[in-house]
Amino acid sequence: GHTTGPSLNNDKLYKFTYSAEVYVDQVKASLQKSAGYRMSSGVDVNLLWRNPENDDDQLIKITIRDVQVENVNERPAAKNIFKGKSTEKIIGKEYLEALQRPIVLELVRGKVKNFYSYQNEPGFTQNIKRGLASLFQLQLHSGAAREVDISGKCNTTYHVRQDQVTKIKALDSCEIEKQGFTSHSQILDVSTKATSATIYVLEDGFIKSIKAEENYGLLLNSRRKTGAKIVSKQKLELKSVQAGPGLIAGKQVASIIKTLDSSYVAVPLVAEPVKSECKKCPSLSEHWQSIREHMYPEKLSKAEAARSFLSFIQNIRKATKEDILQIIRNENKELLPQVVDAVTSAQTSASLEAVLEFIDFKDASTATLQERFLYACGFASHPSEMLLKTLTAKFKGDIANEEIRETLVIVMGALIRKLCDREGCKLPAVVEAKRLILSRLEKAKKDDNVRMYLLALKNALLPEAIPLLLKYAESEEGPLSNVAATALQRYDPSFLTKEVKETMNRIYHQNRKVHEKTVRTTAAAVILNSNPSYMEVKNILLSIGELPLEMNKYMLSMIQDILHFELPSSKTVRQVLKDMRAHNYDRFSKMGSSSAYSGYMTRGPDVSSTYSLDILYSGSGILRRSNMNIRVFDRNAELHASQVVIEAQGLESIIAATPDEGEENLDSFAGMSAILFDVQLRPVTFFQGYGDLMSKMFSATGDPINVVKGLILLTDHSQEIQLQSGPRASAEFLGGLAIDISGGMEFSLWYRESKTNIKNRVAMFIAGNTEVDSFFVKTGMETTLEVETTLDFISTVQFSQYPFLVCMQMDRVESPFRRYVTKYESLPSGRRYTARRGKAELLAGNEYPLHQENSNMCRKVFGAKSDSSSNWF
């Protein structure tokens, strides 16, 4: 009778040869030099039983014999890890016996209805058999189906042409227990692409040959040249058909199986997760001892610190709470903050429990550690609901240090946003944390409290917080309205409703009350950044000329930057300027020193980064605000990598100058606020009040204040892959940053000069390891990238004349960049083959060309003092 699946003849033994190969390499490489291995064997297949009522229901027996393991690519004897070893020695006696025990398949219309094997068989060998059994599943008519095989339940499409059948399996559709995680930011993440195709050639109603190929490609989004691929190939070829055993008579499948071997059981065809034990792995404390010296604070701008941080995280993820606590409790003060960075970044339940048992928020003396713990939570690559729940509980409890209390709620805001970005806005812990922040903000009486809840909202970016932020931006005094306005600036323009724009226009044009310049310029930036109308742009341009001295110059510079950098609103601005020709000249020839400028730091095929720098002065030459931003973006996403804002007010009395109109009563203050990787940090105060200012000025050593120091886990991708030939593969990409940012401000009354210096020292290390793990051999590839660099930003102001001279310098020092690729094959005995290739280069330093006007001023500033320092330009 006609069958819709392959059909075997009675009393025949089909003898096949089988091979399964695995390759691991770089994405674009040809397979000739890949790491990998090949397992080959004979496979015997015969028909045991055919259902008397349905030809299309058959039991077939499959036996693997004569197993060989060898290199997938020719290796000279000295580099061949299998050389001189018998298969039994490589695989192990009991595994080899298990592998050669036969399996039985029940095929109904070509699909595997039951897979019979032995219950207590090792998972590794069982998976190799599942990989072979899955090849026997096919249908003889074109069409799509949801099928279960070793890869899970997958969408499969068949194309049939005469005696050839092609089976395409959509691997991203497979339902199988998945483990792993990805980074929160798409730019820092890894993309995976997977394909699977099998070609069958039929003869005489049964299989003549099968060729299957499965490909996995992994790419680092930020540098698509860096990545890995895993290729798995299977080949089954019919060699001969001989006389074979006869059929077993019977009606019920169950009784046939029992007759055959009472130990047979039906086992799922989907692969079972397996992991080989590590025999010679160091303990957590041994590993820590080996990297400890690279983790001292003064070494935190070296690539070796970032590398050690990543390897430590990988080991912490395998460790128990007790192992972790042992290290935390015995470490000295200098190294503890780095240990806390790593333990918190590991994000396992054991690591979180360990660090929380150690950190005591009731103890004011350990504030530094508490802060490092909280920031590591804020930067978490895949935070859990549990983490937010725990922090919310801590916030409601006793906290000895007020700054830690602030940091805690600011970090809660960052976690709300990360969880909401992953469809977690409705989780109970998120709902509770949102409610807490919003309700406490409404009840807050003290300015400090209001500020911390506003900063938390600046991280959380909740759409429902916009009305509250508008209220604070418009009706509060300076510092608070400033935080609210900068929070609105961080929202995606699509959230900025008509109401938001009306409020921003009222603030900028001061329709209801006088606002500080800092808030007005932020309001203007929000308007110009969110698809402004013709009239909005026209009113802003008309206002230039009527503004306080330096604000005129600043707004003019902002408009010029929109045009020169082709920002989205530049079309509208050009149109308005064309129509306003008549009253341009006087309005647009303003004197002053404030400025705004954007430019590219890097432009690459995958990712580009821009910097923008704007500086606003008061009429007497004292800095009001300097704002330096670095953004990274690709085709689909953007990351606010860093922002450093230095704000000052009420400093005119030092140089006996007159404050600007409306700013006569401002308290003396200077401070710094930073955003790092989309997370707003707690602002730092340099001085507050005239007395504090005077005492610091006379003792001012100009020593920089440390703003951020620590280790941050940026890229965090871990993925388990079940290959259809049986082995498990894993891909791990980790990227870490060792960072040291400091800033300072110094005055020289003698030279009537002030200097602001921000030093960003960073080292980045990325490590990718892609490995295929068969119990008897591991093969894989490690990729590493490392770079160390320093970005200096210095602004010097001389206020002995007007307009005062301002010189801004932004420099990147020469930076070493190294990358290595190591391919390996290894046996549990420790015998190992490795091939390593690397490249080290120096990336040239760079002085970023801020605008021409700035270059001219720098010549004057440095020409005026002495010629020795003018070699900057």
Short mmCIF file of all heavy atoms in Angstrom, two decimals, residues 188-219:
data_model
loop_
_atom_site.label_atom_id
_atom_site.label_comp_id
_atom_site.label_asym_id
_atom_site.label_seq_id
_atom_site.Cartn_x
_atom_site.Cartn_y
_atom_site.Cartn_z
N LEU A 188 24.94 47.17 23.39
CA LEU A 188 25.99 46.41 24.07
C LEU A 188 25.78 44.91 23.93
O LEU A 188 26.53 44.12 24.48
CB LEU A 188 25.97 46.77 25.57
CG LEU A 188 26.14 48.26 25.87
CD1 LEU A 188 25.88 48.53 27.34
CD2 LEU A 188 27.54 48.73 25.48
N ASP A 189 24.72 44.52 23.23
CA ASP A 189 24.32 43.12 23.23
C ASP A 189 24.92 42.33 22.06
O ASP A 189 25.71 42.84 21.27
CB ASP A 189 22.79 43.04 23.21
CG ASP A 189 22.30 41.73 23.78
OD1 ASP A 189 23.05 41.09 24.53
OD2 ASP A 189 21.15 41.34 23.48
N VAL A 190 24.49 41.09 21.94
CA VAL A 190 24.95 40.17 20.90
C VAL A 190 23.74 39.73 20.09
O VAL A 190 22.68 39.49 20.65
CB VAL A 190 25.59 38.93 21.58
CG1 VAL A 190 25.90 37.85 20.58
CG2 VAL A 190 26.86 39.35 22.33
N SER A 191 23.87 39.67 18.76
CA SER A 191 22.77 39.19 17.91
C SER A 191 23.07 37.75 17.50
O SER A 191 24.21 37.42 17.20
CB SER A 191 22.67 40.00 16.62
OG SER A 191 22.51 41.34 16.93
N THR A 192 22.03 36.94 17.45
CA THR A 192 22.20 35.54 17.05
C THR A 192 21.37 35.24 15.82
O THR A 192 20.23 35.71 15.71
CB THR A 192 21.67 34.61 18.17
OG1 THR A 192 22.21 35.05 19.40
CG2 THR A 192 22.09 33.18 17.94
N LYS A 193 21.94 34.49 14.91
CA LYS A 193 21.20 34.07 13.72
C LYS A 193 21.42 32.57 13.57
O LYS A 193 22.56 32.09 13.69
CB LYS A 193 21.76 34.81 12.51
CG LYS A 193 20.76 35.03 11.42
CD LYS A 193 21.33 35.95 10.36
CE LYS A 193 20.85 35.47 8.99
NZ LYS A 193 21.50 36.15 7.90
N ALA A 194 20.35 31.81 13.33
CA ALA A 194 20.50 30.36 13.26
C ALA A 194 19.72 29.78 12.09
O ALA A 194 18.62 30.23 11.80
CB ALA A 194 19.99 29.74 14.56
N THR A 195 20.32 28.80 11.39
CA THR A 195 19.62 28.15 10.27
C THR A 195 19.84 26.64 10.34
O THR A 195 20.86 26.18 10.86
CB THR A 195 20.16 28.63 8.91
OG1 THR A 195 21.57 28.36 8.86
CG2 THR A 195 19.93 30.11 8.69
N SER A 196 18.87 25.90 9.80
CA SER A 196 19.02 24.44 9.75
C SER A 196 18.35 23.91 8.48
O SER A 196 17.20 24.24 8.20
CB SER A 196 18.34 23.81 10.97
OG SER A 196 18.08 22.44 10.73
N ALA A 197 19.11 23.12 7.71
CA ALA A 197 18.55 22.52 6.48
C ALA A 197 19.03 21.08 6.36
O ALA A 197 20.18 20.78 6.68
CB ALA A 197 18.98 23.32 5.26
N THR A 198 18.13 20.20 5.90
CA THR A 198 18.49 18.79 5.70
C THR A 198 18.02 18.37 4.32
O THR A 198 16.88 18.68 3.93
CB THR A 198 17.79 17.91 6.77
OG1 THR A 198 18.06 18.46 8.06
CG2 THR A 198 18.30 16.48 6.73
N ILE A 199 18.90 17.69 3.58
CA ILE A 199 18.52 17.22 2.24
C ILE A 199 18.52 15.69 2.22
O ILE A 199 19.51 15.06 2.59
CB ILE A 199 19.49 17.77 1.17
CG1 ILE A 199 19.36 19.31 1.12
CG2 ILE A 199 19.20 17.17 -0.21
CD1 ILE A 199 20.37 20.00 0.25
N TYR A 200 17.38 15.14 1.83
CA TYR A 200 17.23 13.68 1.75
C TYR A 200 17.22 13.26 0.28
O TYR A 200 16.57 13.91 -0.54
CB TYR A 200 15.87 13.26 2.33
CG TYR A 200 15.73 13.51 3.82
CD1 TYR A 200 15.36 14.77 4.30
CD2 TYR A 200 15.96 12.49 4.74
CE1 TYR A 200 15.22 15.00 5.66
CE2 TYR A 200 15.82 12.71 6.11
CZ TYR A 200 15.45 13.97 6.56
OH TYR A 200 15.31 14.20 7.91
N VAL A 201 17.92 12.17 -0.03
CA VAL A 201 17.78 11.55 -1.35
C VAL A 201 17.19 10.16 -1.11
O VAL A 201 17.70 9.40 -0.27
CB VAL A 201 19.14 11.46 -2.07
CG1 VAL A 201 18.97 10.75 -3.41
CG2 VAL A 201 19.71 12.87 -2.28
N LEU A 202 16.08 9.86 -1.81
CA LEU A 202 15.38 8.59 -1.58
C LEU A 202 15.64 7.62 -2.73
O LEU A 202 15.91 8.04 -3.86
CB LEU A 202 13.87 8.83 -1.46
CG LEU A 202 13.48 9.86 -0.38
CD1 LEU A 202 12.00 10.15 -0.45
CD2 LEU A 202 13.86 9.35 1.00
N GLU A 203 15.53 6.31 -2.45
CA GLU A 203 15.66 5.30 -3.49
C GLU A 203 14.83 4.12 -3.03
O GLU A 203 14.95 3.69 -1.88
CB GLU A 203 17.14 4.91 -3.61
CG GLU A 203 17.43 4.05 -4.82
CD GLU A 203 18.93 3.77 -4.90
OE1 GLU A 203 19.46 3.02 -4.05
OE2 GLU A 203 19.58 4.33 -5.80
N ASP A 204 13.95 3.67 -3.92
CA ASP A 204 13.21 2.47 -3.58
C ASP A 204 12.37 2.67 -2.31
O ASP A 204 12.29 1.80 -1.46
CB ASP A 204 14.25 1.34 -3.35
CG ASP A 204 13.63 -0.02 -3.63
OD1 ASP A 204 12.51 -0.04 -4.17
OD2 ASP A 204 14.27 -1.04 -3.29
N GLY A 205 11.81 3.89 -2.15
CA GLY A 205 10.92 4.14 -1.01
C GLY A 205 11.63 4.40 0.31
O GLY A 205 11.00 4.77 1.30
N PHE A 206 12.96 4.17 0.37
CA PHE A 206 13.66 4.42 1.64
C PHE A 206 14.84 5.36 1.40
O PHE A 206 15.11 5.79 0.28
CB PHE A 206 14.09 3.08 2.27
CG PHE A 206 14.53 3.22 3.71
CD1 PHE A 206 13.70 3.87 4.64
CD2 PHE A 206 15.76 2.73 4.15
CE1 PHE A 206 14.10 4.01 5.96
CE2 PHE A 206 16.16 2.87 5.47
CZ PHE A 206 15.32 3.51 6.39
N ILE A 207 15.58 5.64 2.47
CA ILE A 207 16.62 6.67 2.42
C ILE A 207 17.91 6.17 1.77
O ILE A 207 18.44 5.13 2.15
CB ILE A 207 16.91 7.13 3.87
CG1 ILE A 207 15.67 7.86 4.42
CG2 ILE A 207 18.13 8.03 3.93
CD1 ILE A 207 15.65 7.96 5.93
N LYS A 208 18.40 6.95 0.79
CA LYS A 208 19.70 6.64 0.21
C LYS A 208 20.79 7.47 0.89
O LYS A 208 21.87 6.98 1.19
CB LYS A 208 19.66 6.94 -1.30
CG LYS A 208 20.94 6.55 -2.00
CD LYS A 208 20.92 6.94 -3.47
CE LYS A 208 22.24 6.55 -4.13
NZ LYS A 208 22.34 7.13 -5.47
N SER A 209 20.48 8.77 1.11
CA SER A 209 21.47 9.59 1.83
C SER A 209 20.77 10.77 2.50
O SER A 209 19.70 11.21 2.07
CB SER A 209 22.53 10.12 0.86
OG SER A 209 21.97 11.10 0.03
N ILE A 210 21.40 11.26 3.55
CA ILE A 210 20.90 12.45 4.27
C ILE A 210 22.10 13.35 4.53
O ILE A 210 23.15 12.89 4.99
CB ILE A 210 20.28 12.07 5.64
CG1 ILE A 210 19.19 11.01 5.50
CG2 ILE A 210 19.71 13.32 6.33
CD1 ILE A 210 18.60 10.57 6.85
N LYS A 211 21.91 14.63 4.22
CA LYS A 211 22.93 15.61 4.60
C LYS A 211 22.24 16.72 5.38
O LYS A 211 21.31 17.35 4.84
CB LYS A 211 23.59 16.23 3.35
CG LYS A 211 24.66 15.36 2.75
CD LYS A 211 25.38 16.11 1.65
CE LYS A 211 26.52 15.25 1.10
NZ LYS A 211 26.73 15.44 -0.32
N ALA A 212 22.69 16.96 6.60
CA ALA A 212 22.06 18.01 7.42
C ALA A 212 23.13 19.02 7.81
O ALA A 212 24.27 18.65 8.09
CB ALA A 212 21.45 17.39 8.67
N GLU A 213 22.76 20.29 7.80
CA GLU A 213 23.70 21.31 8.26
C GLU A 213 22.96 22.34 9.09
O GLU A 213 21.89 22.81 8.72
CB GLU A 213 24.40 21.99 7.08
CG GLU A 213 25.46 22.95 7.56
CD GLU A 213 26.35 23.50 6.44
OE1 GLU A 213 26.75 22.74 5.54
OE2 GLU A 213 26.63 24.71 6.49
N GLU A 214 23.57 22.68 10.21
CA GLU A 214 22.99 23.66 11.13
C GLU A 214 24.05 24.72 11.40
O GLU A 214 25.22 24.39 11.63
CB GLU A 214 22.64 22.91 12.42
CG GLU A 214 21.98 23.71 13.48
CD GLU A 214 21.68 22.84 14.71
OE1 GLU A 214 22.47 21.93 15.05
OE2 GLU A 214 20.64 23.09 15.32
N ASN A 215 23.66 25.99 11.32
CA ASN A 215 24.61 27.10 11.51
C ASN A 215 24.13 28.06 12.59
O ASN A 215 22.96 28.48 12.54
CB ASN A 215 24.70 27.93 10.22
CG ASN A 215 25.60 27.26 9.22
OD1 ASN A 215 26.81 27.33 9.33
ND2 ASN A 215 25.00 26.60 8.23
N TYR A 216 25.00 28.44 13.48
CA TYR A 216 24.69 29.50 14.45
C TYR A 216 25.73 30.59 14.28
O TYR A 216 26.93 30.31 14.29
CB TYR A 216 24.77 28.98 15.89
CG TYR A 216 23.57 28.16 16.28
CD1 TYR A 216 23.54 26.79 16.03
CD2 TYR A 216 22.46 28.75 16.86
CE1 TYR A 216 22.43 26.03 16.36
CE2 TYR A 216 21.35 27.99 17.20
CZ TYR A 216 21.34 26.64 16.95
OH TYR A 216 20.23 25.91 17.27
N GLY A 217 25.26 31.84 14.13
CA GLY A 217 26.21 32.96 14.03
C GLY A 217 25.92 33.92 15.18
O GLY A 217 24.77 34.25 15.44
N LEU A 218 26.95 34.35 15.87
CA LEU A 218 26.79 35.31 16.96
C LEU A 218 27.66 36.52 16.67
O LEU A 218 28.83 36.36 16.35
CB LEU A 218 27.22 34.68 18.28
CG LEU A 218 26.38 33.48 18.70
CD1 LEU A 218 27.27 32.25 18.84
CD2 LEU A 218 25.68 33.75 20.01
N LEU A 219 27.07 37.71 16.76
CA LEU A 219 27.83 38.94 16.45
C LEU A 219 27.68 39.95 17.57
O LEU A 219 26.58 40.13 18.10
CB LEU A 219 27.26 39.59 15.18
CG LEU A 219 27.37 38.82 13.87
CD1 LEU A 219 26.56 39.51 12.81
CD2 LEU A 219 28.83 38.75 13.45
#
